[in-house]
Amino acid sequence: MAEDYVLFEASDAIATITINRPDKYNALNISVKKKLLEMFRQADKDTSVRVVILTGFGEKAFISGADVNEFVGRNSDTIKQVVNPSRDIAQFITAMDKPVITAVNGYALGGGCELALACDIRYASKNAQFGLPEIHLGTLPGNGGTVRLPRLVGLGIAKELILTGSRITADEAFRIGLVNKVFNSVEELRAGANELARILSRMPGVALGLAKKSIQESWELPLNEHLAVELDAFCKTFDTEDKEEGVNAFLEKRTPEFKHK
Ligand code: COA
């Protein structure tokens, strides 16, 4: 049942979304993707949730990519039924105000690597492996891999990874800037992602969302327009209670208590 292929748990302002299809290395078929998008929508709507963690069940795979079985017999038109649901998830993650941390606990291949690329912060366990192996299937990344990877790690490294379809270790992914942090075990990874989520959940929510949006705009807008977006976001925070609280707390030498308003 697709129902059980995606687990959702929310507590202490943190929603954890877990892909749970370990016998297929957490490969994403169309119904799993639809469920995954539904879970992200739920996390977005739930006002008690401030941060989202995306991870895979078990220790072997984060997501091994699109379910390759669904590539069979498709043409340039019918493959859109497979790839569009993946693109919808990536777009939703980048557009939502709440930060999304991904805890990559094993293979992050193809569409799995691309979903990780769409998240805001990537943490990985030592056993994680990253790659965009689509070239070996006679195709190429179709959910932002050729767009997001070069922007993150540079054109040369992205071209080598995408054109060879080779896999890299978590340490190498860290070296090239694909992941923010590497943990010695999956257990430590989960604790590290939770700790980061806890820190972010205590940040002023409005400013956090506006900061994420403003950073995201750098991918879409020319410098002057982006600077205008940043100024607008900055000024908006001056209409929030949290800005007042943050500034006063600093001046009064105490810890701020944000209300995300
Ligand atoms: N789609 C569908 N099934 C997948 C899958 C995928 N992306 N990745 C793994 N699986 C399935 C395998 O078919 C196998 O199923 P089976 O036991 O019913 O035969 C099971 O998961 C375990 O995979 P297996 O290949 O036997 O394990 P492994 O340890 O030898 O290798 C991987 C693991 C992840 C390296 C390998 O499965 C792989 O390369 N997967 C495909 C990655 C890929 O091309 N992704 C991009 C798709 S766009």
Side-chain angles (χ1 to χ4, degrees), residues 26-258:
N26 295 330
L28 301 179
N29 63 23
I30 296 171
S31 58
V32 176
K33 290 176 199 175
K34 288 191 173 154
K35 190 75 195 163
L36 187 53
L37 180 58
E38 205 183 302
M39 295 294 97
F40 270 104
R41 287 212 166 104
Q42 185 174 324
D44 191 40
K45 257 196 224 137
D46 186 336
T47 51
S48 72
V49 169
R50 316 221 54 79
V51 184
V52 182
I53 297 174
L54 173 66
T55 191
F57 186 84
E59 303 230 336
K60 281 199 169 152
F62 167 65
I63 300 169
S64 64
D67 189 323
V68 179
N69 293 293
E70 290 182 341
F71 284 10
V72 179
R74 303 250 177 199
N75 61 27
S76 58
D77 192 30
T78 55
I79 191 60
K80 288 179 186 143
Q81 294 156 6
V82 174
V83 74
N84 283 344
S86 303
R87 295 172 70 96
D88 291 346
I89 302 164
Q91 287 297 104
F92 193 86
I93 291 171
T94 54
M96 68 191 281
D97 288 341
K98 299 173 188 180
V100 181
I101 301 164
T102 188
V104 177
N105 54 303
Y107 290 113
L109 302 177
C113 184
E114 288 178 300
L115 267 194
L117 286 168
C119 295
D120 299 309
I121 296 170
R122 282 159 292 282
Y123 277 5
S125 53
K126 198 104 179 155
N127 71 326
Q129 289 196 36
F130 294 80
L132 292 168
E134 287 88 346
I135 203 80
H136 297 297
L137 302 173
T139 182
L140 58 111
N143 185 20
T146 68
V147 179
R148 293 192 176 97
L149 186 65
R151 290 183 187 207
L152 204 58
V153 305
L155 283 183
I157 292 173
K159 281 185 185 167
E160 186 176 345
L161 285 174
I162 292 169
L163 301 185
T164 64
S166 52
R167 298 203 295 253
I168 56 169
T169 61
D171 285 334
E172 179 65 358
F174 174 73
R175 196 187 66 78
I176 65 175
L178 176 47
V179 297
N180 298 40
K181 219 178 217 180
V182 179
F183 295 82
N184 281 329
S185 67
V186 172
E187 206 174 44
E188 284 176 40
L189 164 70
R190 300 207 191 284
N194 273 308
E195 173 60 10
L196 176 65
R198 200 185 54 77
I199 291 168
L200 291 176
S201 73
R202 291 180 182 172
M203 296 296 174
V206 177
L208 207 61
L210 286 166
K212 171 174 168 173
K213 270 210 163 72
S214 185
I215 296 166
Q216 201 64 39
E217 292 290 355
S218 69
W219 286 32
E220 278 137 44
L221 296 176
L223 182 65
N224 279 343
E225 285 175 46
H226 183 203
L227 284 169
V229 167
E230 185 198 57
L231 178 63
D232 186 50
F234 173 73
C235 292
K236 268 190 189 139
T237 62
F238 281 71
D239 293 334
T240 65
E241 290 176 26
D242 282 347
K243 190 279 308 173
E244 212 57 19
E245 168 64 7
V247 169
N248 286 338
F250 174 77
L251 295 175
E252 292 161 15
K253 300 187 189 304
R254 62 176 174 82
T255 306
E257 281 178 38
F258 292 121

